[in-house]
Each structure stands twice: as C-alpha cells, then as structure tokens.
Amino acid sequence: MSQATATSHGDTPMIEMTGLNKWYGDFHVLRDIDLTVKRGERIVVCGPSGSGKSTLIRCINHLETHQQGEIVVNGVPMTQDVKRIEQIRRNVGMVFQHFNLFPHLSVLENCCLSQTWVQKKPRAEAEKTAMEYLERVQIADQAYKYPGQLSGGQQQRVAIARALCMRPEVMLFDEPTSALDPEMIKEVLDVMVELAREGMTMLCVTHEMGFAKTVADRVIFMDQGQIIEEAPPETFFNNPRSERTKLFLSQILGH
Amino acid sequence: MAGESMRDVMIEARRPPNAHRGVLKWLQRNLFNGPINSVVSVVTIGVLLWVLWPFVQWALIQADWLGDSRQACSGEGACWVFISARFESIIYGFYPEAARWRVDIVFALMAGLLAWLAIPRIPGKRWAAVIAVVGFPIAAYFLLLGGHFGLMHVSTRNWGGLMLTLTVATIGIVGSLPIGIILALGRRSNMPLVRAVSVVFIEFWRGVPLITVLFMASVMLPLFVPTEVEFDKLLRALVGIMLFWSAYMAEVIRGGLQAIPSGQDEAGKALGLGYWHRMGLIVLPQALKLVIPGIVNTFIALFKDTSLVLIIGLFDLLAIIRAGLTDSDWLGFATEGYVFAALVFWVFCFSMSRYSQYIEKRLQTGHTN
Ligand SMILES: Nc1ncnc2c1ncn2[C@@H]1O[C@H](COP(=O)(O)OP(=O)(O)OP(=O)(O)O)[C@@H](O)[C@H]1O
Ligand SMILES: [Mg+2]
C-alpha cells in the first residue's frame, strides 16, 4: 500500500502512459501509445470515429483494461488490484457522452452518493459540497429534481458537478457535447472553459474545435489506434504535418 | 312582507346532478359513448349477468350463514356454516387452543409491520425494516414454537391452516428474494467459479418440479442425513421451497440487471465506488424497480404453491379444508370448501398485485435517459 500513496505535489506528471497497447480479440485498438499529461495541462483528443479515443481515456480510470504498457496516474501505477484501481478512480473525474446520471436519484443525491459512500463524509457536509458545485455549473435550483426531468444540457452540467464533488485532480471528458442539441452545447462548453481557467487538468475527447482553440495546451490527433500528431492548437490547426490530419481537419471544418 | 327575502334555515349546497359526476358519468363516458360501444357494453353485461347470476344466488342470496351443524343449512344455496363451524381450525390447524393467543400476537405483529412498511406516510422505515428482518422472525419463532420463557412447546406437526400457509409463504418470500439477488449477481459475475456455481444452482432448481423437491426433502433427505440429526419436516419443506423459488427469482432479477445500461455501472466505477456499493446503490435499485411485476408474479406463484406442502403431510389452509370434507358429519360440502379456499388465496394474491402496482407508480421518477 505504501508505494501506492499518491504524491499529489511536485513535478510528477498527472498521467503518464508508456508503450500502451490494447487489443479487442485480434483487433489492435491502441498501438504503442506514449502520452504524458502534466499537472494543469488541458489536452484535446480528436480523430475519426473508431480511432480509439474513447478506449484511450477509458484506460486511464481502468474502465478498459490494457494488455501492454504502463499507466501511472498521479504517481500511482495502475495494476489489476481492485483497491489500487479504486484509489486511482477517486482522483480521476469522468464525464460521459450520455451523461450516465443515476435516474433513480435526485440531482443532489447523484452528487452526494460517492461523497457519502467513498469519502464517508457526513450527510450535511456532502450536501454542502454538492450545492457548491451545482451552483458553479448554475443548476443549483434543480437540485431536488430527478435527471429525467432535466434537459440534456442540464444533465451534462449535473454530471460535471457530480464528478467535481469528489475533488478530482484530473477530469476526463468523452465527447461531452456530442449527444446534445446545438443550443445546449454552449452551456456545457462554458462550464468546461471555466473549469479550464481555474487550472483543472483536463483530457477531453471532443470535436468542438472552438473549444480546442480557446483552452487546449495541446491537441492530439488519433487514427487507427495511434497518436498521429500532437501540437499546440495554433500549429495543429494552421500547420498540420500529416496528411491524415489535414484530411480530418478539412472534413471536420467543412472546407 | 319583509320576511320574504330572509330565511331562518340555511340550505345546504346541492350536490351536482348525478349525470355530471360519479358512476353515471363514468358509465356514460366509458361504456355508452357511441352506438357500437353501447351495444357491446349491453351484450357484455348481459353475458356476465347470465353466467354469474346463478353463482351469486348460490353463494350469497340463498346461502345459509349461521348455525353449528349441517341441520342449519336448507340445501338451496351454499352452506357457509361448514366454514364458520370449523373456522378456528382453518386458521390455527391443530395448534392447541390454550396457546392460540400466541398465533394471534404473531398475526397482529405481522399486520402492524406490513402496514408500517407499506404505507409511505408512516415514518421510520429504517426501523421498521430492521424489526421486520431481525426482531420479528425471532419473536415469531419463540412465540409460535414455544418451549422457552414458560411457553408451552408446540411442535410444528400441530401447525396448520392459514397460520401454516402464511408461515410458509412469508418465509419463502422473505428468503427467496435475497438468495435470488445473490444468485443473479453471481450469474453475471466475472469470476468463473462464482458464475458456474450460480448457473448450476439455478438450472438445477428450475429443472425439477416443486413436488419432487418437496418429496425429496421429506423422504430422501432423511436417507442421506444421519438419523440422530432430526430435521423438522416443516423446516425441510421450507428450505426446499426457498431454494426452489430463489432460482426463479434469480432469473427474474437477472432480466432486470441486464436491462440497466452499462453506463450506470461505469459511472459508479468512475466515481470510485466499489462493487457492492455500485450494485446496492445504483444497479439493483433500478433493476429491482424494473422487475417489480416479475418479482410479485413470483411471490404470487409461491404463495399459491404453498398448498403443495399437503402432499408431504403438512396441513396448510387447503389441506385443513380438504380434511374437513372427509368429516362424516359434513360430507358433501366440497364446493363450499374449495370456493372459500380459493377466496382466501385470491384475497392475499390480489392484495400483493395491487400493492405492487401502487409501489411501481410511486417509484416513478420521470422518464429515464
Ligand atoms: N467492446 C469492444 N469489443 C470489440 N471492439 C470494440 C469494443 N469497443 C470498441 N471497439 C472497437 O474499437 C475501436 C475504437 O473504439 P472507440 O470507442 O475507442 O473509438 P472512438 O475513437 O471513441 O470513436 P467514436 O468517435 O465513434 O466514439 C472501434 O473500431 C470499435 O469498433
Ligand atoms: Mg468514443
């Protein structure tokens, strides 16, 4: 246990992946991924459908298992040990494409659940934290509603608040706006931009290039399970090196 | 005439005309809201009356209710005297008269607890659950069986009637649900051994008829178990019934588990929740809610099948009534006996069904994503 204690200070990178490989049966989804995310860094991951973006970020909190290579999160190396995995997950917040709120619990209860059962906080304290974060995503007035009674954009903001309630050191976003109607995308992106400004370490899979230009320190382009290109947004959008990136950008930017 | 515009008596507000509310309005809206619908309604009601009227006449209008021997019955309609004369034994079986107050207490406790648990307005559900799961079984055990605290010991051989039916049904229901949940989770576990054991267990118990299980429990088990260990016949039947129905329960619950999107479990994982927390707080509450109809269906089937214990010589409600039919003073009242037994079973099962519908509505939290 002792070597698993997180070193939450110093220069240890937030996430460090080396030589990561993953297969689904014969299908090689992730090929030799090396990626380091420093503390406070904001990274946007993009790439064509099926390129392995989701799989990559889901490996970070062990929603997917990898077969080769190493992942170190906040100084804690990933193993198969359940306790270790749960320890890592407590430091890593995740927001899903389809929100995945718990429909049988109210918004407030959604936000209190893991505070109560994982962090063992007293009820009152958990609710206070929850209301704080719901306030931050501007949805505190809906705290007593059930997820089914909210719009998509509202649900996704609740999902962000729910993840933040655990006070994670890094946030993973897997296409957080792609299940939303256009008019709701902005309210979610605004919350994410705000979060980035506050210095949260973020790893976002998204095709919102405006968001990438505003907040990303680096944009990563993936294709067929490989990281093809990795550059600051200006370089990435204005001077992409690889042909595949150029093709992807021309498709996604629509010219 | 100054007094003309004055009244010395207040007139009550009149009720709206009948056609605008209540039964008549409902009838008009639902049964007679068009020529075709009206014809269908009239024909249906006619057929129902034609079929049911003789029964109503027999069971209610021409029936005899009071008395203590068959001489009290005219023979025109049903002779409910047959039931009322042996009502005590139908409720208590052969339980000694002097100790029947103990059964009454258990009945009262159970009714009180059920009301406490079932009626949402009564607070303290957590306490009710603890008492129901821990306190009540212990109290019921000592009260019904006796042998301690100066209470006369009453062997389970003397248990019978409604009291036995309710005992078997309650223990069956309360036991099969948690075992079913464990089995359902086990069948979906990613530990191969746990999964294999669950599958074998479920498929074994689902593959044999309940009658076989009961026979095995009462006839075969003693062959395998050393004779010093005297297992109670009722206990053996209870274990058999519990395991048999837990296999069915497991499959019902597994259906619910499969319907919960994997994203729910993943969201729980991402929040750092462990397996039991994810199951207990996220997946099971949703899955169980989804399969309430199936669970209650199983409860109802279990309740009705408790009457099968009569084949291993336990006298449940139905068996006691059947035993009454062979009483030479009361020959020829089989119809009354079976109708009454059916009515009792129906009342319990229908109540469960209605309550489950009510609970389902209450648990509705808006459309799910
Ligand atoms: N459980 C699985 N079994 C087999 N193949 C899978 C499984 N999950 C994903 N894949 C495959 O792995 C590849 C990468 O999937 P992934 O979801 O990571 O893609 P993605 O880049 O996130 O795509 P999208 O933009 O559509 O979300 C896809 O080709 C997909 O078909
Ligand atoms: Mg994806």
Side-chain angles (χ1 to χ4, degrees):
Chain A
M1 259 331 269
S2 64
Q3 94 247 35
T5 316
T7 49
S8 54
H9 46 77
D11 297 336
T12 38
M14 199 60 239
I15 298 165
E16 209 172 359
M17 292 189 239
T18 36
L20 199 69
N21 276 285
K22 177 175 173 62
W23 290 263
Y24 282 122
D26 289 339
F27 181 56
H28 201 166
V29 231
L30 295 178
R31 300 163 189 255
D32 303 315
I33 302 280
D34 293 305
L35 177 66
T36 304
V37 183
K38 288 190 293 239
R39 240 158 246 289
E41 225 182 351
R42 275 90 45 160
I43 292 181
V44 163
V45 182
C46 60
S49 183
S51 56
K53 310 177 295 290
S54 299
T55 310
L56 176 70
I57 71 164
R58 287 159 59 87
C59 282
I60 296 170
N61 60 357
H62 204 270
L63 290 183
E64 304 284 350
T65 43
H66 58 276
Q67 280 87 36
Q68 266 179 25
E70 290 219 8
I71 303 178
V72 182
V73 181
N74 203 14
V76 183
M78 178 79 73
T79 62
Q80 290 299 317
D81 177 52
V82 180
K83 288 277 159 265
R84 176 78 62 93
I85 292 167
E86 280 167 15
Q87 186 198 351
I88 289 174
R89 282 173 180 164
R90 264 171 259 159
N91 269 320
V92 181
M94 185 160 200
V95 174
F96 300 86
Q97 182 176 2
H98 297 288
F99 332 132
N100 296 0
L101 291 178
F102 308 130
H104 62 303
L105 300 176
S106 71
V107 164
L108 188 63
E109 289 166 331
N110 262 277
C111 294
C112 289
L113 194 70
S114 61
Q115 294 189 70
T116 313
W117 294 96
V118 178
Q119 298 180 328
K120 313 266 188 255
K121 277 198 208 167
R123 183 85 205 161
E125 198 185 318
E127 283 188 7
K128 189 165 159 282
T129 310
M131 288 310 286
E132 240 167 66
Y133 283 107
L134 288 172
E135 204 84 58
R136 292 243 307 254
V137 300
Q138 289 168 20
I139 202 139
D141 50 330
Q142 317 277 355
Y144 297 97
K145 286 198 180 165
Y146 285 95
Q149 299 165 323
L150 303 183
S151 75
Q154 291 174 321
Q155 290 192 47
Q156 193 59 297
R157 285 186 280 144
V158 171
I160 295 174
R162 177 178 73 178
L164 291 175
C165 280
M166 291 295 283
R167 302 197 196 279
E169 306 218 30
V170 54
M171 286 283 286
L172 310 175
F173 293 84
D174 189 1
E175 306 204 34
T177 56
S178 56
L180 297 177
D181 292 336
E183 72 269 20
M184 294 171 190
I185 291 178
K186 188 173 174 301
E187 64 186 58
V188 172
L189 286 181
D190 286 347
V191 168
M192 291 170 63
V193 170
E194 187 59 33
L195 200 57
R197 293 240 164 84
E198 287 162 17
M200 173 64 78
T201 312
M202 292 165 73
L203 196 57
C204 307
V205 176
T206 182
H207 292 156
E208 293 296 331
M209 291 307 146
F211 174 79
K213 283 175 190 161
T214 332
V215 304
D217 297 307
R218 265 189 292 160
V219 180
I220 286 172
F221 175 71
M222 282 186 75
D223 195 13
Q224 294 176 3
Q226 279 175 307
I227 295 183
I228 304 290
E229 191 151 351
E230 195 177 336
E234 310 84 66
T235 327
F236 182 83
F237 289 110
N238 301 329
N239 290 311
R241 272 179 291 120
S242 99
E243 283 308 311
R244 276 194 266 177
T245 315
K246 283 178 196 157
L247 182 66
F248 174 74
L249 282 176
S250 71
Q251 281 163 350
I252 207 156
L253 299 174
H255 46 74
Chain B
M1 294 290 231
E4 200 141 346
S5 62
M6 306 253 283
R7 289 181 199 276
D8 35 20
V9 183
M10 280 294 284
I11 296 177
E12 295 270 307
R14 245 184 287 165
R15 292 151 59 119
N18 269 343
H20 290 283
R21 34 159 230 115
V23 182
L24 280 184
K25 189 72 184 169
W26 184 90
L27 283 177
Q28 195 202 345
R29 259 209 209 116
N30 293 286
L31 300 184
F32 299 102
N33 56 354
I36 296 183
N37 212 345
S38 299
V39 170
V40 172
S41 297
V42 167
V43 170
T44 314
I45 293 171
V47 169
L48 277 178
L49 277 181
W50 181 61
V51 173
L52 289 180
W53 183 243
F55 178 78
V56 171
Q57 234 179 356
W58 174 82
L60 300 174
I61 296 170
Q62 297 178 338
D64 297 294
W65 305 83
L66 298 172
D68 43 22
S69 73
R70 63 182 306 153
Q71 275 69 47
C73 292
S74 59
E76 298 274 310
C79 180
W80 297 121
V81 180
F82 170 69
I83 301 295
S84 57
R86 41 186 69 243
F87 197 67
E88 294 260 304
S89 82
I90 290 177
I91 302 282
Y92 303 102
F94 313 112
Y95 211 86
E97 251 168 81
R100 285 181 185 171
W101 59 273
R102 283 152 49 182
V103 180
D104 294 338
I105 291 184
V106 173
F107 277 153
L109 281 177
M110 187 153 120
L113 269 173
L114 274 180
W116 191 1
L117 280 170
I119 303 173
R121 257 173 302 145
I122 308 179
K125 291 285 182 271
R126 203 168 287 208
W127 282 108
V130 170
I131 296 173
V133 172
V134 184
F136 177 70
I138 296 176
Y141 176 83
F142 283 113
L143 277 169
L144 293 180
L145 207 55
H148 294 271
F149 312 116
L151 296 177
M152 177 189 22
H153 174 73
V154 180
S155 156
T156 56
R157 257 171 292 150
N158 293 327
W159 297 18
L162 183 65
M163 170 235 167
L164 182 75
T165 296
L166 288 183
T167 305
V168 175
T170 310
I171 295 179
I173 284 173
V174 172
S176 64
L177 187 61
I179 302 177
I181 291 175
I182 299 292
L183 286 172
L185 291 176
R187 192 161 186 169
R188 285 167 52 90
S189 163
N190 44 26
M191 287 182 269
L193 190 64
V194 173
R195 198 168 50 230
V197 169
S198 307
V199 170
V200 169
F201 186 96
I202 291 171
E203 295 307 337
F204 171 77
W205 289 102
R206 280 207 309 168
V208 287
L210 183 53
I211 294 203
T212 325
V213 173
L214 291 172
F215 266 129
M216 283 200 296
S218 79
V219 182
M220 282 171 64
L221 201 65
L223 300 181
F224 300 128
V225 181
T227 43
E228 308 90 73
V229 191
E230 241 259 59
F231 267 131
D232 189 276
K233 198 201 283 187
L234 175 63
L235 181 66
R236 278 179 276 154
L238 280 175
V239 171
I241 287 175
M242 212 148 72
L243 297 181
F244 179 85
W245 285 105
S246 64
Y248 279 87
M249 201 60 85
E251 287 300 281
V252 170
I253 292 166
R254 189 165 69 96
L257 292 174
Q258 252 153 7
I260 305 302
S262 60
Q264 291 289 310
D265 191 43
E266 285 176 357
K269 282 181 180 171
L271 287 167
L273 289 160
Y275 176 80
W276 291 107
H277 280 154
R278 295 200 306 275
M279 292 304 126
L281 299 167
I282 300 168
V283 179
L284 275 173
Q286 295 183 60
L288 292 179
K289 183 179 111 185
L290 213 59
V291 293
I292 287 175
I295 292 177
V296 174
N297 203 27
T298 312
F299 283 171
I300 287 175
L302 185 158
F303 192 96
K304 291 188 293 187
D305 279 7
T306 54
S307 51
L308 285 178
V309 295
L310 77 89
I311 61 141
I312 58 166
L314 293 171
F315 283 87
D316 78 311
L317 178 77
L318 188 61
I320 282 278
I321 291 175
R322 275 172 57 98
L325 299 179
T326 58
D327 184 338
S328 53
D329 289 340
W330 290 97
L331 289 176
F333 294 116
T335 320
E336 283 85 344
Y338 287 125
V339 166
F340 179 76
L343 181 71
V344 174
F345 276 103
W346 183 80
V347 165
F348 279 100
C349 295
F350 186 65
S351 314
M352 282 196 264
S353 155
R354 294 307 303 203
Y355 183 67
S356 89
Q357 283 171 26
Y358 162 77
I359 276 298
E360 255 182 281
K361 275 215 196 84
R362 245 187 84 76
L363 291 178
Q364 204 63 45
T365 59
H367 51 89
T368 50
N369 38 354

